[in-house]
Amino acid sequence: MTDSTSNGDRRNLDSRPISDPTQFPDLPVTVVLDRIPVPILAVDPSGAIVFANEAFDDLFGLDRTEREDFHLHDIFPDRAPEGVNVADMFLTTVATRADSLWRMTDKTGDIVQVRASKSILRRTEDTIVLVALEDFTDQLWNDPKSALR
């Protein structure tokens, strides 16, 4: 038996494989979200990151221990226009509109361009924003019409 960390597989070693379809309804939602290969981010109204999956960690160069005290404002560039709270703008936008483009920063300060889905949690009483992110960084850097070039 090989160690799963030695072959690049970063799954939680305590999680069991899903081999029986009847197991699926009993899985905790965070287990399912963590296994999705698309960056998933859940943020509360204060901007605290309450959940992010492994794909999010990979995109932003983080590990779980670094993300424990992570806040939404930690992934936005420091150069926001005067008086603009980009984290608040992000929360408001993704709560109501899909496919918005955002400029964020990874752990090293490099720019990451992402497209955020509309919040998956759609009931008015849901206070948590849960979005999927799509990395557009390479695409925008390689686009001759992009302002990033």
Side-chain angles (χ1 to χ4, degrees), residues 1 18 20 23 39-40 49 61 69-70 73 78 80-81 110 113 118 120 141:
M1 183 171 177
I18 304 168
D20 179 0
Q23 289 176 285
I40 304 288
I49 296 175
D69 296 321
F70 222 56
H73 64 73
D78 293 333
D110 290 336
Q113 298 277 348
K118 183 176 179 181
I120 297 163
W141 275 109

Side-chain angles (χ1 to χ4, degrees), residues 10-13 30-31 33-36 40 49-58 61-70 107:
R10 293 184 37 200
R11 282 181 290 182
N12 183 347
L13 296 176
T30 55
V31 171
L33 291 173
D34 205 37
R35 292 183 181 185
I36 295 174
I40 304 288
I49 296 175
V50 296
F51 175 82
N53 66 357
E54 288 185 13
F56 176 90
D57 292 343
D58 291 343
L62 302 169
D63 64 41
R64 289 209 184 277
T65 59
E66 292 174 309
R67 191 178 17 88
E68 287 175 3
D69 296 321
F70 222 56
K107 176 182 168 182

